[in-house]
Amino acid sequence: MSTTPEKQDQQPNTEPPLPSDNEGAPKFIPGSFSLDDFLPILMNLLVPRRILTTIPTFVPKTFVDSIQLYTDGTDTYLYVYVNNAWHAFMANGVQRLVAGPGISTSPGSGRGVVTVSGDLPVSVVLATRGGSDATGSQAIAHGLGKVPKIVRVTALWGANTPQLLQSIGTYSSGGMKNVNAYTIFGSGGGSGDDTTNIVVLSDRAGFSQIAAVSSLDATNLNLSWTQSGSPGLGGTIRMIVESYG
């Protein structure tokens, strides 16, 4: 009678395989690695990196090697290996600066001088007009060298009665705005506003010089004046014209 030897006890392999991501690389499981596994990377971090003088084309074997610095002799670039390709980022210089008042735009290459002055271009000139000048046009050279975005005209007229007429007006893409006042000895005074003229000088008794902006270009502020009352105000209207670019 033959007998079959008993099978030896076998221990099943109960250790689960390491899970992996979509790329097949194993995921980290606490306790599955020791410090020895990371010594090559840690030792590499202790050594100062040298900047490359040729653009990297090799396939890195470690995460540390996937980050490189490269210089072309003028500028420095950070190269990062992601998705099986090297990607470059400029490590010095300005890529692009949005322009605004007093700020010049950097070149498209990201290299060049960028001036940030913070100053809004401005020009201030003086102008006059006769208080009894007839209705007509007046060109005032503002001196800005470009079409102003805003023009402000402050106009004053005075006589020895005494009388004082005052006007402050602005012109912009939003149109004309003006505030004005008058003081007449023995008669009184007052103030007002206007949204169709930039200069309003009126004694409210029939004598006035009123101006609207007819056009504005890179050279002149052109005013269209309307004179009322005879023989007119007399004297001289004095103006200060401020132009902002």
Side-chain angles (χ1 to χ4, degrees):
M1 181 176 181
S2 62
T3 60
T4 302
E6 295 182 0
K7 295 182 179 181
Q8 296 180 354
D9 293 337
Q10 298 180 354
Q11 296 295 329
N13 184 9
T14 58
E15 182 177 348
L18 294 177
S20 62
D21 55 23
N22 293 332
E23 299 296 329
K27 293 183 178 179
F28 174 75
I29 298 178
S32 61
F33 296 96
S34 68
L35 181 60
D36 292 338
D37 296 307
F38 297 96
L39 282 179
I41 295 179
L42 296 176
M43 293 300 294
N44 201 353
L45 292 176
L46 294 176
V47 180
R49 304 301 298 270
R50 288 188 177 183
I51 193 167
L52 302 178
T53 55
T54 58
I55 296 175
T57 57
F58 62 89
V59 177
K61 297 184 180 302
T62 67
F63 173 76
V64 175
D65 289 338
S66 66
I67 302 175
Q68 300 289 336
L69 287 174
Y70 158 75
T71 180
D72 59 7
T74 302
D75 296 302
T76 302
Y77 298 84
L78 175 67
Y79 273 79
V80 179
Y81 192 85
V82 179
N83 292 336
N84 299 320
W86 287 103
H87 302 271
F89 305 89
M90 180 170 282
N92 67 318
V94 178
Q95 292 291 338
R96 177 64 65 180
L97 183 63
V98 178
I103 304 176
S104 65
T105 306
S106 66
S109 64
R111 300 187 296 271
V113 177
V114 178
T115 303
V116 182
S117 65
D119 295 330
L120 182 68
V122 61
S123 175
V124 180
V125 299
L126 297 174
T128 61
R129 173 178 169 81
S132 295
D133 285 356
T135 295
S137 301
Q138 180 181 13
I140 301 175
H142 52 70
L144 191 64
K146 59 185 292 188
V147 179
K149 291 182 173 61
I150 300 175
V151 174
R152 180 168 65 182
V153 177
T154 302
L156 300 175
W157 176 89
N160 57 5
T161 341
Q163 299 179 34
L164 178 62
L165 307 182
Q166 307 170 78
S167 169
I168 301 174
T170 63
Y171 174 80
S172 66
S173 59
M176 285 174 280
K177 304 290 189 297
N178 175 277
V179 291
N180 54 85
Y182 69 101
T183 302
I184 310 296
F185 178 75
S187 176
S191 63
D193 55 55
D194 191 291
T195 58
T196 57
N197 297 287
I198 194 170
V199 178
V200 177
L201 296 171
S202 173
D203 64 0
R204 273 59 170 186
F207 293 91
S208 65
Q209 286 276 9
I210 297 175
V213 177
S214 57
S215 65
L216 178 65
D217 55 37
T219 303
N220 293 323
L221 167 67
N222 297 293
L223 300 179
S224 177
W225 287 92
T226 300
Q227 188 266 358
S228 298
S230 180
L233 294 173
T236 302
I237 298 170
R238 304 190 181 278
M239 295 172 282
I240 183 168
V241 179
E242 304 168 60
S243 302
Y244 299 88

